[in-house]
C-alpha cells in the first residue's frame, strides 16, 4: 500500500479473530491504512496454538502488505479482538502469550465489533450469525448477553435455528411432532430423511447447522407453523436482548452477522427501526482499541 | 466358570456394546453360562476400530473365563447388539468386518435389550438413560422411535435434561429467562456460574450433561417451575413413545436406563402402571439373537 511510515513511528495493528478466519489492519498514527492481511481460524476455544499462529500470519501479511518486515513488529501496538476470550481461562492464556509486539491489548471480538460499528467507544451490538449475543459499552460499563455457544445458548442464531429445525424434522419423521414443510426442505438440502439426517450430521459443527437457517426462514415465509415458531422464538429472544442493551442508553445500536439481516424483520418493529448501520469493520475497532489503551497507559506513565 | 464344553460343540456369544463399555456372555447349546467378560467403549459411532477392539477384548475375556482359548472362536456363533448401528453406514462397516467367529449376527443394542427384557422375540422397550429411544418388535415387524442422539434428539433422556437445565440456567444468569432453583444446584455441582458454566462444559460429552439430570428432578420435586417444565416435557415425549409402541400390541413393555426409574413417575399413570420389569441383561438377548438366527440359517440350508 501507499504511505511509507517513518522508521521510528508507532504503528497500530487491529486483529479481528474468529472461528474461520482472522483479519488484520495496520494503521499509522494518523489513522491511515498502511496494510491489510488475513490469517486462518483464530478462536482459541478451538485451539490456542492454531489461533496464535493465525494471528501472527495475519499480522505478518499486513506488515508485508505495508512494505515492512517482521522486525518492524517491535514498533507495532497490537489490538486483538478474539472470539472465545470471554472465557476467563482463554483470556489469560492469550494475555500471557510472549507476543512479538511493542504492546498487546486483548479484548473480545464483540467489543471491537462494537467500537468499529459506531466509530466510538460507546454503543451496542447484537450479533446473529453462526452464534448470537449482545454487547453494550457505555462510559466504562459493559454488558455481555449470551455468547454461550452451541448447543447451550445462541438463541436466534443460525446454528440454533438449524438445530431446532433438525429436532423438529426428526420428531416429524417419527410422527411424534407436527408435520412441517422443513422435512422436504431438509431432505433436498441434505439428501437425507429420518435417521439418515443424524448420519449426515455426524460430527457437524455449529457452522454446519447454521447452513440450515435459510430453509427455516423459507418455511416460515410459506406459513409453516413449526418454522414460524422457531423464527418467532429466536426473534423474541433478540427483542429481549435489545431491550436490555437499550436500558444502558448506548448512543447507537447495530446488528451484525449473516443471519441478522433476515431475523431483524421478525423482531419488534420499534426495535428494528432503531438499529443503525455498522460504520466500519471490526479490525478497525481493534486498532482503535489498541491506540486508546496504549495512549491511556502513556498518559498514566507520564511524570 | 464351571461347565467345560465339549470340544466340538457350537457356543453362543452375546455382546452388548455401548458407549462406555461392552459386556460379553458365552453360553452353551443348553443355555448354560460358560463365561462372562467385559471390554471398553464399543459404539462404532465414536470410532469403529476401537469398538471392534473392545468387542474382541470382551469376547476373549469371556472365553478365558470359560477356560477356553482364542482358537475356540472358530466354534463360537456371535450375536452383536451395538449402539450406533441404527446408522446404515455403521451397520455395514461392522457387518463386513473380518470377524474371527464361526458366524456373526449384528443388530442394535435396542433390539437385544428388548429380547433380553422379555426373554422372547416380541416386546417393547423404552430407554431413558444418557440417551432416549423406543423400540418394539412384534411378529417380524419392528419400530424404532428416537435414538437420534445428542443434541438433535433424545428428549426425556439424562443428556437432554442436562442440556435443557444448562440452557435455562444460562438464560437466568443473563436475566433473560425466569429465575430457577437449578441455578444454585448447578453452581454447587459444577462450581460455576454464568459464562463459567460454558467454560466448565468445554468439550463435554452427552454423559457429562446427563450428570445434571438428578438436579433437574430435585428442583422439580421442590416445585421449581422451570425444572417442572423440563421434566413434564421429557415425560410427555416418553408418553407419546409408549402409546405408539403399544399400538403394535407387544406382549410386554419395559423401561431401561438410569433415568427411567425416576422419569417413569412423571409419565401418565396408565402407561407407568403397564410397564414390566426387564427380565434379563442385554448380552443374554444378544446370545439368544445369535442362536435363533444361526438355527434359522441351518434350517434354511438343510437339504
Amino acid at each position: 500500500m501507499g504511505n511509507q511510515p517513518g522508521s521510528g513511528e508507532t504503528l497500530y495493528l487491529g486483529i479481528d479473530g474468529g472461528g474461520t478466519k482472522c483479519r488484520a489492519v495496520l494503521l499509522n498514527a494518523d489513522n491511515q491504512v498502511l496494510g491489510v492481511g488475513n490469517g486462518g481460524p483464530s478462536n482459541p476455544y478451538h485451539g490456542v496454538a492454531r489461533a496464535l499462529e493465525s494471528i501472527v500470519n495475519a499480522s505478518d501479511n499486513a506488515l508485508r502488505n505495508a512494505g515492512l518486515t517482521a522486525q518492524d513488529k517491535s514498533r507495532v501496538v497490537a489490538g486483538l479482538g478474539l472470539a472465545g476470550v470471554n472465557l476467563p481461562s482463554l483470556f489469560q492464556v492469550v494475555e500471557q502469550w510472549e507476543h512479538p509486539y511493542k504492546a498487546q491489548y486483548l479484548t473480545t471480538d464483540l467489543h471491537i465489533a462494537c467500537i468499529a460499528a459506531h466509530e466510538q467507544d460507546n454503543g451496542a451490538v447484537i450479533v446473529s450469525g453462526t452464534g448470537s449475543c449482545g454487547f453494550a459499552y457505555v462510559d466504562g460499563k459493559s454488558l455481555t448477553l449470551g455468547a454461550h455457544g452451541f448447543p447451550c445458548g445462541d438463541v436466534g442464531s443460525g446454528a440454533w435455528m438449524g438445530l431446532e429445525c433438525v429436532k423438529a424434522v426428526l420428531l416429524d419423521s417419527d410422527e411424534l411432532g407436527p408435520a412441517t414443510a422443513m422435512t422436504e426442505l431438509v431432505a433436498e438440502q441434505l439428501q437425507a430423511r429420518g435417521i439418515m439426517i443424524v448420519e449426515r450430521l455426524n460430527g457437524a459443527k455449529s457452522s454446519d447447522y447454521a447452513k440450515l437457517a435459510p430453509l427455516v426462514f423459507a418455511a416460515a415465509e410459506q406459513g409453516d407453523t413449526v418454522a414460524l415458531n422457531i423464527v418467532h422464538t429466536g426473534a423474541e429472544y433478540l427483542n429481549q436482548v435489545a431491550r436490555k442493551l437499550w436500558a444502558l442508553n448506548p448512543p447507537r445500536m447495530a446488528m451484525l452477522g449473516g443471519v441478522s439481516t433476515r431475523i431483524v424483520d421478525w423482531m419488534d418493529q420499534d426495535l428494528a427501526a432503531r438499529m443503525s448501520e455498522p460504520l466500519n469493520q471490526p479490525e478497525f475497532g481493534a486498532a482503535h482499541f489498541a491506540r486508546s489503551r496504549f495512549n491511556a497507559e502513556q498518559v498514566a506513565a507520564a511524570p
Side-chain angles (χ1 to χ4, degrees), chain A:
Chain A
M1 292 216 165
N3 310 285
Q4 194 67 11
S7 65
E9 196 191 348
T10 297
L11 306 176
Y12 300 94
L13 179 74
I15 298 269
D16 173 34
T20 55
K21 61 179 174 295
C22 181
R23 289 177 200 274
V25 63
L26 189 69
L27 304 179
N28 67 12
D30 298 325
N31 243 350
Q32 289 173 301
V33 176
L34 305 177
V36 296
N38 288 328
S42 46
N43 183 339
Y45 191 79
H46 302 309
V48 172
R50 188 169 188 199
L52 295 177
E53 189 191 323
S54 297
I55 288 163
V56 168
N57 285 341
S59 84
D60 285 356
N61 289 338
L63 284 162
R64 199 174 304 121
N65 185 232
L68 298 170
T69 67
Q71 287 183 315
D72 292 293
K73 276 181 212 170
S74 60
R75 58 194 182 104
V76 163
V77 172
L80 272 56
L82 303 188
V85 301
N86 55 324
L87 298 180
S89 67
L90 291 177
F91 187 94
Q92 213 176 356
V93 166
V94 179
E95 182 81 341
Q96 290 171 354
W97 171 49
E98 294 234 355
H99 63 78
Y101 312 111
K102 178 174 181 158
Q104 170 188 281
Y105 301 95
L106 176 64
T107 188
T108 63
D109 54 341
L110 261 177
H111 187 186
I112 59 151
C114 187
I115 295 170
H118 308 300
E119 289 190 343
Q120 57 174 305
D121 283 338
N122 291 346
V125 287
I126 294 179
V127 178
S128 170
T130 300
S132 77
C133 52
F135 177 83
Y137 185 96
V138 180
D139 300 336
K141 283 177 63 178
S142 74
L143 174 65
T144 303
L145 299 170
H148 294 140
F150 181 85
C152 290
D154 291 8
V155 180
S157 71
W160 175 86
M161 289 179 73
L163 178 60
E164 292 304 304
C165 166
V166 169
K167 286 161 75 172
V169 166
L170 290 172
L171 285 175
D172 182 15
S173 77
D174 275 350
E175 294 175 25
L176 286 170
T180 166
M182 295 187 294
T183 293
E184 289 307 314
L185 297 173
V186 166
E188 270 171 43
Q189 186 160 328
L190 298 183
Q191 292 290 306
R193 289 172 188 279
I195 192 73
M196 294 302 293
I197 295 170
V198 177
E199 172 139 6
R200 199 75 70 181
L201 293 173
N202 182 358
K205 298 187 295 284
S206 54
S207 53
D208 298 314
Y209 283 96
K211 287 178 190 145
L212 299 172
L215 67 79
V216 181
F217 284 114
E221 280 156 16
Q222 289 167 30
D224 182 72
T225 316
V226 182
L228 278 168
N229 186 39
I230 295 172
V231 174
H232 284 310
T233 302
E236 178 50 29
Y237 172 80
L238 298 180
N239 285 337
Q240 286 187 61
V241 169
R243 290 191 200 286
K244 263 195 124 62
L245 296 176
W246 277 125
L248 296 177
N249 290 314
R252 298 171 96 243
M253 187 181 296
M255 289 193 71
L256 310 173
V259 178
S260 63
T261 51
R262 297 203 71 174
I263 204 157
V264 71
D265 296 336
W266 298 83
M267 289 173 68
D268 288 347
Q269 189 51 45
D270 63 317
L271 294 168
R274 285 180 78 185
M275 294 294 172
S276 302
E277 282 300 310
L279 297 174
N280 216 333
Q281 293 297 102
E283 59 270 29
F284 288 86
H288 174 101
F289 175 75
R291 184 198 310 269
S292 64
R293 284 290 176 97
F294 182 69
N295 288 343
E297 284 185 10
Q298 299 299 103
V299 170

